Amino acid sequence: MTSGTPLNLYNTLTRTKEPFVPLDAENVRMYVCGPTVYDFAHIGNARPVIVFDLLFRLLRHTYGANHVTYVRNITDVDDKINARAARDFPALPLNEAIRRVTEKTGQQYAADVKALGTLEPTYQPRATDFVLPRPDGKPDMVSLIERLIANGHAYAANGEVLFDVKSMPDYGQLSGRNLEDNLAGARIAVDAHKKNPADFVLWKQSSAEEPGWESPWGRGRPGWHIECSAMSAAYLGEVFDIHGGGLDLIFPHHENEIAQSRCAHGTHEMARVWMHNGFLQVEGQKMSKSLGNFVTINDLLETGTMGGHAWHGDVLRLAMLMTHYREPIDFSVKRLEEAETKLRDWQRAARGAELANDDAPDASVIAELADDLNFHRASVVLDAIAKKANRDDARASHCLAATLSFLGFSLDSLLTSDDGWEEPPHIATAIENRLAALNARDFAKADTIRNELSEQGISLMDYKDPETGERKTKWESKR
Ligand code: AMP
Ligand code: ZN
């Protein structure tokens, strides 16, 4: 461990905030469900990416950068992808068309999330690489399904393989749904081949127009949930520390991942801590294409979809983190403006600091984040450090820079050349002349210099040096 701050994380499974104790402090393991790559990712998809990036950074800080393994998968087999492939590349064979779609959207996704200041996860496996048994022997979906059938937890019916929920007495722990609840909502007629209406698909048949793999149950494709059971086991083992995703994934996706993994491996848990980010709305409404408020990360980074101009990825990141990750967020232009102002203030206060690789972030910021990622309280600490830095406290300025950089923000993205720490020489000269005039009690001359700078958009603030008591002047661009 490189830092002594104990982490406390809210666990959806127990519905309490608990001290985090890794299974192996030498290798802390986290899995987060990634995107289905059929189109540009929307700003809601950015939330788990940013939230779990913050957690990844905190874990790396706590246990050491080489002692954390973070896996975020890419779902590249899905009916929405098939539909997009048929629409965009009607002349190509299906597999080729699908590959084109997922390659393009996968690259867009990588570029978008990079712009949001996120570190790359340790592994980003693609589902299609884990359908069939692999030469390297890592777990795969077909083998997991075979094992579930052999263990009496799954059965083939009507061309499908289904998970038998009745075979797992404590099914439903994560979502708190019991089998009776699930029965009440199920449409029996549609599911006549199921033993139990709550049974879910592990494998389904593919028509000639659908992507498929040859399996013991014919040509078909996997259900969605089994992907994550295979890819998490492949990189993190049968039981690991943290599993994350958005709130919408608790049921059925995560519930079913748990059922599959525990029943395949015979374990009493899949992951220790289950973490879920709250949902994001746009300007007070659920995001949807029909409402016309569907905003992609790319729109925000590159076009004027919200607020009439593009926003820096750092601003999107801060706008996202300003609300606690478990609360709902209303993403709005007002929020983006607030984030931009705040980050610019921090960057100004930190300008000039020169960072070395091992500069540590502020301990109080770490302590706030260690309390279930309380970014809001961390930002109050940052404000206080910035205030000190603005009083010419070089240590505070340096600490602020190190902390911003730890949090994934660049140090100058919102600074214009006016803000640059290399002070334009004419300003320095003017300030010196004005201070000399003040000391000589030539107030008229001092005012003239102030007014000249003011016409160039530069305002001056006088203050006393806290140590020497000497009069000093700071300047700021009044944009
Ligand atoms: P999907 O590509 O729909 O599977 O979603 C990828 C990730 O984004 C999952 O963790 C979802 O829970 C999350 N997600 C999707 N929509 C939203 C939203 N509006 N707010 C927050 N998270 C979301
Ligand atoms: Zn998943």
Side-chain angles (χ1 to χ4, degrees), residues 31-34 73 75 224-229 231 243-245 249 253-254 257 270 274:
Y31 186 94
V32 173
C33 297
N73 72 291
T75 296
W224 171 33
H225 318 306
I226 195 73
E227 280 181 21
C228 293
S229 286
M231 289 183 275
H243 192 127
L249 299 186
H253 185 54
H254 288 169
E257 279 187 36
M270 176 188 186
W274 289 79

Side-chain angles (χ1 to χ4, degrees), residues 31-34 73 75 144 148 163 168 171 174 200 202 224-233 238 240 242-245 249-265 267 269-271 274 276:
Y31 186 94
V32 173
C33 297
N73 72 291
T75 296
L144 274 183
L148 286 168
F163 185 90
M168 183 184 187
Y171 177 84
L174 181 72
F200 58 88
L202 300 172
W224 171 33
H225 318 306
I226 195 73
E227 280 181 21
C228 293
S229 286
M231 289 183 275
S232 61
E238 296 179 354
F240 51 94
I242 299 172
H243 192 127
L249 299 186
I250 295 175
F251 189 87
H253 185 54
H254 288 169
E255 195 72 83
N256 293 347
E257 279 187 36
I258 293 175
Q260 297 162 161
S261 294
R262 284 186 45 200
C263 291
H265 307 308
T267 48
E269 58 189 358
M270 176 188 186
W274 289 79
H276 295 96

Side-chain angles (χ1 to χ4, degrees), residues 394-470:
R395 268 179 57 196
S397 170
H398 189 268
C399 169
L400 182 62
T403 311
L404 288 176
S405 156
F406 160 77
L407 292 169
F409 297 109
S410 63
L411 295 180
D412 56 6
S413 54
L414 304 180
L415 299 182
T416 62
S417 52
D418 301 345
D419 297 301
W421 61 274
E422 269 181 65
E423 192 168 77
H426 78 280
I427 301 183
T429 312
I431 287 176
E432 253 172 53
N433 291 343
R434 180 172 163 275
L435 282 174
L438 284 175
N439 289 338
R441 306 188 67 77
D442 186 349
F443 299 113
K445 184 173 175 192
D447 281 350
T448 309
I449 297 173
R450 178 194 280 275
N451 292 341
E452 278 168 9
L453 286 175
S454 174
E455 274 161 28
Q456 300 166 33
I458 289 172
S459 59
L460 301 181
M461 284 149 299
D462 293 328
Y463 66 98
K464 259 196 191 148
D465 186 297
E467 263 139 49
T468 62
E470 205 184 333

Side-chain angles (χ1 to χ4, degrees), residues 33-36 42 44-45 47-48 224 245-246 248-249 277-280 287:
C33 297
T36 305
H42 62 65
N45 299 134
R47 195 168 188 196
W224 171 33
D248 57 322
L249 299 186
N277 63 269
F279 245 50
L280 172 149
M287 203 176 355

Side-chain angles (χ1 to χ4, degrees), residues 31 41 50 72 98 136 150 167 172 174 192 227 299 301 313 328 353 364 380 382 392 410 442-443 456 459 463:
Y31 186 94
I50 293 172
R72 186 179 64 214
I98 287 176
D136 64 6
S167 73
L174 181 72
E227 280 181 21
D299 287 336
L301 291 171
S364 311
V380 173
L382 285 173
D392 241 17
S410 63
D442 186 349
F443 299 113
Q456 300 166 33
S459 59
Y463 66 98

Side-chain angles (χ1 to χ4, degrees), residues 315-375:
V315 173
L316 305 184
R317 182 176 178 91
L318 181 56
M320 198 69 85
L321 291 173
M322 279 176 358
T323 297
H324 189 265
Y325 78 93
R326 284 193 279 124
E327 299 292 321
I329 285 191
D330 185 22
F331 216 73
S332 62
V333 172
K334 182 165 168 284
R335 163 185 291 266
L336 287 164
E337 284 168 353
E338 277 170 27
E340 190 173 60
T341 303
K342 185 170 277 298
L343 184 59
R344 182 174 288 124
D345 286 348
W346 288 344
Q347 287 183 344
R348 280 180 179 156
R351 75 187 158 212
E354 280 184 44
L355 287 186
N357 268 343
D358 53 354
D359 282 340
D362 178 69
S364 311
V365 166
I366 295 294
E368 300 296 8
L369 295 178
D371 181 15
D372 199 30
L373 299 182
N374 198 322
F375 188 88

